[in-house]
Amino acid sequence: MKVLLAGANGYIGTRLIPVLLEEGHTVVCLVRDKRRFHEQSDYSDRVTLLTADLLKESSIEQLPADIDAAYYLVHSMAQAEDFAALEALSAHNFTLAINKTNCRQLIYLSGITNAPKLSNHLLSRRHVEDVLKEAKAALTVLRAAIIIGSGSSSFEIIRDLTEKLPVMTVPRWVNTKCQPIAIRDVLGYLKDTLLNQGSFNKTFDIGGPDILTFKQMILTYAKVRRLKRYIITIPFLSPRISSYWLYFVTSASYSLAQSLVDSMKNETIMKNHDIDDVVKRECITYEEALKLAFKKIEQNSIVSSWKDALNNGYLTSGFMDQIKVPQNGTLEYKIKQPFKRDSAEVLKNIMAIGGNRGWYYWDWIWSIRGFLDKLFGGVGSRRGRTSNVNIAPGDVIDFWRVLLADKINKRLLLYAEMKLPGEAWLEFKIVEHNNKLYLSQVATFRPRGLWGRMYWYAMWPFHLFIFKGMARKIVSFTSSE
């Protein structure tokens, strides 16, 4: 069958592509930026790529008329005041495009919305369902609660909390019940409802076998990791304080923390098990899902991560436009560090920068910079990196975004996502001149007005020591250190 996948660069979409290909389907991926897909996907030569900014109907390339089914896996992580309107507009434009094809089924992954009073994000998911019902194709809605898998937002936030805090003072929402489901089971349901006529024009709750409170989920995680953890519930913590608490302790952005706290007021438990009549599946337990996630982490084989989602969500992504570093109106700090060792070893050090490896020199300064970024509402440095081994455009490295990771031309280009009075790029490249090898390291800053220039010159002494020390360390570092 020919299957269209909207949201192919997302956490779920990235993992669904190989599942569909293994089933023998022809996959058409609808993406906002083909450059990112080509760079980060191992399947770019096995799928057809179409571009679309779903917020702009005119930008959507004409879809093939012979599409059999389509997945709509587009969600916004943003907490902008108009995010619900943006999600509705995106779904509406997608519906108009899909109505011009012969598509027979549309599958949407939503959230469980059985509570009488829903959070703004769950209300938005419900509204998107209503918009997608305007499609001529039969709509199948799969509603899931918390999804557990390596790189999922729920797993990573539980991981942050449990690994870092032996004693936790938490708000009342830790006693809210939910029904977590493993990512492998979500993918299984997405696969098995495809052109399954029993699923046409129906909405299903999906979940694992366990119904747990968030407190129980944290303590189960601690048990799997053999950690002793103590949780103290404080009933008077406001949603704002709870959001800040999550924001500073975990790798979540403040907007995501707000969304999570808002949604955690709602119980997300399956109210019907109609899916069992359509798809026969034995879902794995929460504890088994945790163990599988750790197995992937230990093998450095995390396929996708929520951390790589853009700050403003899928709907407003456009970071790849920054891949051309501007030359005019910018300030630069350049270093050309000679070295005599094998360039492959130096390149390996470049591509391993950030995350667990750190920044090679004065890591404590980078940590302070990340903390200050958090104080001013930025992403901070808690995001780390998805894989300690692999790196691709679109990945995050602490408070940077990877624009280019070119091993052939030995070049890494990063774009700053920290709070700055301007824009910043950091480039590493191995060059050869007069039969000598050098590490070229260039920090570029495009200031925004007078404050931007004042910031650059105020940071100059730190750049002087940090960047020189970092360049020397990159060319000399060995993994045994």
Side-chain angles (χ1 to χ4, degrees):
M1 292 176 284
K2 181 174 281 190
V3 181
L4 177 71
L5 178 57
N9 277 333
Y11 177 75
I12 303 291
T14 301
R15 295 172 181 241
L16 185 59
I17 292 170
V19 174
L20 297 175
L21 290 174
E22 191 173 325
E23 290 290 303
H25 301 310
T26 298
V27 180
V28 180
C29 293
L30 196 66
V31 297
R32 193 178 189 277
D33 198 319
K34 292 181 181 179
R35 293 169 297 181
R36 182 184 180 192
F37 189 92
H38 276 300
E39 292 285 357
Q40 74 170 10
S41 176
D42 293 334
Y43 307 101
S44 58
D45 59 342
R46 298 176 59 191
V47 302
T48 301
L49 291 180
L50 299 176
T51 55
D53 179 346
L54 291 176
L55 295 179
K56 300 175 183 176
E57 183 187 348
S58 60
S59 77
I60 303 175
E61 290 188 20
Q62 186 169 351
L63 305 181
D66 58 345
I67 287 173
D68 294 296
Y71 289 95
Y72 187 77
L73 303 176
V74 177
H75 296 112
S76 173
M77 302 283 284
Q79 184 65 26
E81 292 182 3
D82 59 347
F83 82 94
L86 294 176
E87 288 201 325
L89 176 61
S90 171
H92 174 70
N93 288 339
F94 180 77
T95 299
L96 292 178
I98 208 70
N99 279 345
K100 297 174 184 176
T101 73
N102 298 323
C103 181
R104 290 183 281 152
Q105 183 190 25
L106 180 56
I107 301 175
Y108 174 55
L109 180 62
S110 185
I112 289 181
T113 54
N114 296 320
K117 188 176 180 181
L118 297 173
S119 68
N120 290 335
H121 269 71
L122 289 177
L123 278 173
S124 179
R125 298 290 183 267
R126 179 75 72 84
H127 183 49
V128 168
E129 293 177 20
D130 293 335
V131 174
L132 294 176
K133 287 177 183 176
E134 298 171 3
K136 293 186 295 184
L139 177 64
T140 299
V141 178
L142 298 176
R143 293 176 174 171
I146 284 178
I147 297 174
I148 300 297
S150 59
S152 75
S153 59
S154 304
F155 171 79
E156 293 295 344
I157 288 171
I158 292 170
R159 182 185 181 191
D160 274 348
L161 290 173
T162 315
E163 297 281 355
K164 294 172 182 174
L165 300 176
V167 179
M168 286 176 246
T169 55
V170 296
R172 285 177 296 184
W173 52 251
V174 295
N175 293 315
T176 303
K177 292 180 180 179
C178 67
Q179 196 163 352
I181 183 170
I183 179 62
R184 65 160 49 186
D185 291 320
V186 173
L187 295 174
Y189 283 124
L190 287 170
K191 172 178 70 74
D192 292 339
T193 51
L194 179 62
L195 289 183
N196 181 331
Q197 293 197 8
S199 70
F200 282 15
N201 294 314
K202 290 183 181 177
T203 298
F204 303 100
D205 291 347
I206 59 173
D210 303 311
I211 296 177
L212 305 168
T213 64
F214 291 105
K215 181 177 179 178
Q216 289 172 319
M217 292 174 69
I218 292 170
L219 292 176
T220 301
Y221 179 102
K223 182 183 118 182
V224 170
R225 294 287 287 158
R226 298 179 181 176
L227 300 169
K228 280 191 173 292
R229 293 296 182 259
Y230 303 92
I231 297 177
I232 303 169
T233 305
I234 301 179
F236 52 80
L237 284 179
S238 69
R240 182 180 291 272
I241 293 174
S242 298
S243 299
Y244 277 116
W245 181 77
L246 267 185
Y247 171 59
F248 280 108
V249 173
T250 73
S251 52
S253 64
Y254 182 68
S255 61
L256 178 58
Q258 276 185 303
S259 302
L260 290 171
V261 169
D262 190 33
S263 297
M264 283 173 178
K265 296 179 296 185
N266 300 133
E267 284 195 349
T268 48
I269 301 171
M270 295 175 67
K271 293 299 184 184
N272 69 71
H273 293 263
D274 296 346
I275 188 67
D276 296 337
D277 298 328
V278 178
V279 176
K280 302 296 182 185
R281 185 171 187 86
E282 192 81 23
C283 293
I284 64 174
T285 66
Y286 171 67
E287 189 169 328
E288 289 171 321
L290 289 177
K291 290 176 180 177
L292 279 174
F294 278 112
K295 189 175 180 181
K296 293 292 185 183
I297 292 169
E298 289 164 3
Q299 295 171 347
N300 280 307
S301 57
I302 302 176
V303 177
S304 59
S305 172
W306 75 275
K307 295 177 184 178
D308 296 330
L310 303 167
N311 288 341
N312 294 324
Y314 170 85
L315 298 176
T316 53
S317 61
F319 72 94
M320 289 296 285
D321 294 335
Q322 307 296 341
I323 200 165
K324 291 184 179 179
V325 182
Q327 301 297 314
N328 299 319
T330 59
L331 302 165
E332 290 184 333
Y333 187 84
K334 296 181 178 181
I335 294 171
K336 199 172 180 181
Q337 179 68 39
F339 64 90
K340 296 181 179 179
R341 65 188 301 194
D342 185 354
S343 62
E345 292 298 318
V346 177
L347 180 62
K348 189 183 296 184
N349 289 341
I350 292 172
M351 297 298 177
I353 201 166
N356 293 337
R357 174 67 64 88
W359 294 84
Y360 295 101
Y361 189 76
W362 281 14
D363 264 355
W364 59 276
I365 287 284
W366 291 92
S367 297
I368 291 173
R369 182 64 182 88
F371 176 73
L372 291 174
D373 193 53
K374 278 270 190 181
L375 282 180
F376 286 94
V379 295
S381 56
R382 292 188 186 275
R383 296 185 300 179
R385 49 185 288 166
T386 299
S387 169
N388 295 323
V389 177
N390 301 312
I391 187 172
D395 290 355
V396 296
I397 299 181
D398 298 328
F399 39 53
W400 298 89
R401 176 76 57 176
V402 179
L403 295 179
L404 189 69
D406 187 347
K407 291 185 178 180
I408 296 175
N409 293 305
K410 301 174 184 177
R411 183 183 177 215
L412 174 67
L413 179 62
L414 308 178
Y415 179 70
E417 291 194 320
M418 64 191 88
K419 291 285 186 179
L420 289 171
E423 296 176 281
W425 293 258
L426 184 57
E427 181 185 46
F428 303 89
K429 188 175 183 180
I430 295 175
V431 297
E432 186 174 350
H433 183 66
N434 291 335
N435 295 321
K436 292 183 179 180
L437 290 171
Y438 297 87
L439 167 63
S440 169
Q441 185 176 293
V442 182
T444 303
F445 185 67
R446 181 161 58 185
R448 190 181 302 116
L450 178 62
W451 284 111
R453 289 185 174 273
M454 290 176 64
Y455 169 84
W456 174 262
Y457 290 114
M459 294 298 294
W460 181 265
F462 295 100
H463 293 164
L464 185 68
F465 290 102
I466 292 173
F467 289 145
K468 281 187 176 180
M470 183 167 61
R472 288 196 302 267
K473 195 68 175 177
I474 287 174
V475 301
S476 63
F477 183 87
T478 58
S479 57
S480 60
E481 292 185 43

